[in-house]
Amino acid sequence: DIQMTQSPSSLSASVGDKVTITCRASQNIGISLNWFQQTPGKAPKLLIYAASSLQGGVPSRFTGSGSGTDFTLTISSLQPEDFAPYYCQQTFSNPYTFGQGTNLEI
Amino acid sequence: DVQLVESGGGLVQPGGSLKLSCAASGSTFNNLWMHWVRQAPGKGLMWVSRINGGGSSTTYADSVKGRFTISRDNAKNTLYLQMNSLTADDTAVYYCATVGFDYWGRGTLVTVSS
């Protein structure tokens, strides 16, 4: 199975900050990488697919980049509603493993 | 858009069985690959299973293989997850999601406890 490792596990920031979350795959997955945000008590929301493509309706302050084994999610100018857990997921091969999550806190 | 609504969760004893449903509306369900994903309380996400549009191809996570069965009834626009031999480790919110993980239901909670 492909292992997905996110860092950091938690991150403290303030409104207006720019933050970056990284995700590393245990093998080359091309650009088969999704990023999700999960507001507490709700289902995950797809933010980025194919490593860098912005899902419809997602604000442009969310940016994904990377390929192969190393990926990043950048949020420029944090808004109050952005403080939540974030997960990466590889869709290169089954099982479609998720990272352990990054909790973005105020 | 696709709307997904899970049901069938609840409290079950260890070793018991439960069948989850995911009702879909708003799109051509029988063309869509579908997934089940679960999340244990306070934990991260775990992909569980997927099925193709016709129901002929299925894949499972190792931890549920042989115990869980994914299926679908395209005439009823419904996805299922039959779960047998349940253990405490299967306690989680179970979500159904569409092929690209772009649409999710709200989830249904399964609690395995005596």
Side-chain angles (χ1 to χ4, degrees):
Chain A
D1 297 359
I2 298 175
Q3 307 302 316
M4 305 300 294
T5 304
Q6 284 182 238
S7 60
S9 296
S10 64
L11 178 59
S12 295
S14 301
V15 173
D17 285 352
K18 176 180 178 179
V19 298
T20 298
I21 299 169
T22 65
C23 182
R24 176 164 289 177
S26 61
Q27 67 185 70
N28 191 328
I29 60 170
I31 59 168
S32 300
L33 194 283
N34 293 333
W35 286 101
F36 297 90
Q37 176 195 65
Q38 188 174 26
T39 305
K42 294 192 174 182
K45 175 185 177 182
L46 180 65
L47 301 175
I48 302 287
Y49 63 95
S52 62
S53 296
L54 193 67
Q55 177 69 0
V58 174
S60 59
R61 63 180 180 272
F62 292 91
T63 304
S65 65
S67 66
T69 60
D70 294 316
F71 303 86
T72 60
L73 173 70
T74 299
I75 313 171
S76 63
S77 189
L78 280 169
Q79 300 301 300
E81 62 269 27
D82 298 337
F83 293 92
Y86 291 83
Y87 297 91
C88 63
Q89 179 204 28
Q90 64 83 17
T91 57
F92 181 79
S93 68
N94 286 124
Y96 292 152
T97 41
F98 290 86
Q100 81 279 16
T102 294
N103 194 23
L104 179 54
E105 306 170 317
I106 295 178
Chain B
D1 283 11
V2 178
Q3 293 79 44
L4 302 172
V5 179
E6 301 93 339
S7 61
L11 176 64
V12 60
Q13 292 189 338
S17 298
L18 211 55
K19 187 172 185 176
L20 307 183
S21 300
C22 169
S25 60
S27 186
T28 308
F29 178 72
N30 59 3
N31 289 337
L32 295 177
W33 287 67
M34 296 291 296
H35 301 274
W36 285 101
V37 176
R38 73 184 185 186
Q39 186 170 35
K43 303 297 184 182
L45 300 164
M46 189 194 105
W47 175 85
V48 173
S49 182
R50 71 168 184 178
I51 187 169
N52 70 339
S56 61
S57 176
T58 60
T59 314
Y60 300 91
D62 284 347
S63 60
V64 307
K65 198 175 297 182
R67 300 188 299 121
F68 289 12
T69 302
I70 190 172
S71 63
R72 62 195 298 159
D73 185 337
N74 286 340
K76 295 182 178 180
N77 281 3
T78 303
L79 174 73
Y80 301 102
L81 186 68
Q82 175 68 47
M83 305 185 296
N84 298 331
S85 302
L86 287 163
T87 73
D89 288 342
D90 298 314
T91 294
V93 174
Y94 285 75
Y95 297 99
C96 58
T98 52
V99 57
F101 299 95
D102 44 353
Y103 295 99
W104 296 63
R106 292 188 172 186
T108 187
L109 176 63
V110 173
T111 303
V112 184
S113 175
S114 55

